[in-house]
Amino acid sequence: MVVESSDRDGSLTLVMRREGIGASRTTWSTKPGEHDLKQVDFGEPRQKSKRITIHQSGRVNYHENGNSIFIEPLTRTSQATCVYAYRVPALEKLNLHPNEAGDEDAIFELSDLGDGPVSFSVFIGPSSLVPPGKAVKLAYDVEGYSLTIAVDAVPTPVPSGYEDHFITLTPERGIFLDQQVAEDQAMISYHRALTRSDGMVLYHPNGEGNIRLIFSVPMRIAPRFKIELADPELHVTQQDVQRDGRSEKVMLKFKIRNRRTGQIIRHEVAIKSIELDAEL
């Protein structure tokens, strides 16, 4: 399983890696009256790897079937919620990873589980969650949540004839029927939690000189700006501003430039004032 965290808003991407491609998938549901197996043919062959995204807003998207569920916003996580499950017919049928383990890799020691099927559940929970049994937990302590993959005490049952298949399971619904926080507000909450700030968040310039400004509240529209620097030889112009359509109401990314030489300033400098105008 590959886990990635977005630098933009801290949303998580999970990829269950599988070799090969498939032309169809077989599905069924535990809902009453929907137990029958259904085959869904793909227009074009697809990679067998599965991908889900867990957004700061609590929206979980399953890219394999286009479904979504809603859980608590990540920075407000108070309970463990299962967001995914994966059943393998036997550990020996898993592919061997071709590379050496990296510094950020976690190795799941499961050699004592025997030869039968094994199923795993993926949970989002508080960072203080103590998972039962065999598990690997990735804790985001500052933001207050964690991602855990745990071995189920009993393998998930499957329809007769599918015992030797690799199977993924997705919840029909989450703990909410709709998204509890707008994406803009969720992004602000994430950066406030990450920096332990209560207001506007201003990051230091990165190696390219980009500075990120996270607003204290979502704006009605992408605001006009006026940035005044302590050194009059420095300024910010329209050409040095980047706007992202998804986050332009909560974030401004800009560079500071020397008026005379045009050089981009890549170190922190004093900012006298920042004014944002969204025309209320």
Side-chain angles (χ1 to χ4, degrees), residues 81-199:
T81 304
C82 181
V83 297
Y84 205 60
Y86 187 51
R87 185 187 189 274
V88 301
L91 294 178
E92 64 180 11
K93 293 190 176 183
L94 290 168
N95 300 121
L96 290 176
H97 196 282
N99 303 320
E100 293 288 334
D103 293 338
E104 295 185 346
D105 290 338
I107 305 300
F108 216 160
E109 177 53 58
L110 303 173
S111 58
D112 60 337
L113 291 183
D115 299 329
V118 181
S119 61
F120 306 87
S121 292
V122 179
F123 295 90
I124 293 293
S127 58
S128 59
L129 174 70
V130 178
K134 288 183 175 292
V136 172
K137 186 181 85 168
L138 178 61
Y140 297 84
D141 289 325
V142 176
E143 299 96 308
Y145 56 90
S146 64
L147 172 75
T148 298
I149 178 168
V151 177
D152 297 334
V154 178
T156 303
V158 297
S160 177
Y162 284 82
E163 293 85 358
D164 290 333
H165 288 248
F166 288 81
I167 296 171
T168 57
L169 301 102
T170 58
E172 182 68 27
R173 60 178 57 87
I175 57 178
F176 301 109
L177 296 179
D178 52 24
Q179 190 168 304
Q180 298 299 291
V181 174
E183 182 180 358
D184 286 348
Q185 184 58 59
M187 185 173 176
I188 291 176
S189 298
Y190 163 71
H191 286 283
R192 282 187 174 181
L194 190 64
T195 59
R196 299 182 179 179
S197 169
D198 291 330

Side-chain angles (χ1 to χ4, degrees), residues 37-54:
L37 299 173
K38 299 177 182 178
Q39 181 170 310
V40 179
D41 294 319
F42 305 144
E44 297 180 356
R46 299 180 184 177
Q47 294 289 333
K48 289 188 176 181
S49 293
K50 310 298 182 184
R51 179 171 175 262
I52 70 173
T53 49
I54 305 170

Side-chain angles (χ1 to χ4, degrees), residues 209-259:
N210 287 312
I211 299 171
R212 286 184 299 166
L213 172 68
I214 311 299
F215 309 158
S216 56
V217 294
M219 295 286 187
R220 183 182 67 86
I221 58 174
R224 294 195 297 269
F225 68 92
K226 181 179 179 182
I227 300 174
E228 188 175 357
L229 303 168
D231 185 348
E233 290 297 314
L234 306 179
H235 68 156
V236 179
T237 66
Q238 288 290 346
Q239 69 172 336
D240 295 318
V241 170
Q242 301 176 37
R243 295 188 188 269
D244 174 359
R246 287 183 59 192
S247 55
E248 62 183 6
K249 297 179 183 178
V250 295
M251 181 177 73
L252 188 69
K253 187 183 293 186
F254 62 93
K255 295 179 181 179
I256 295 173
R257 189 181 296 269
N258 185 291
R259 292 179 186 271

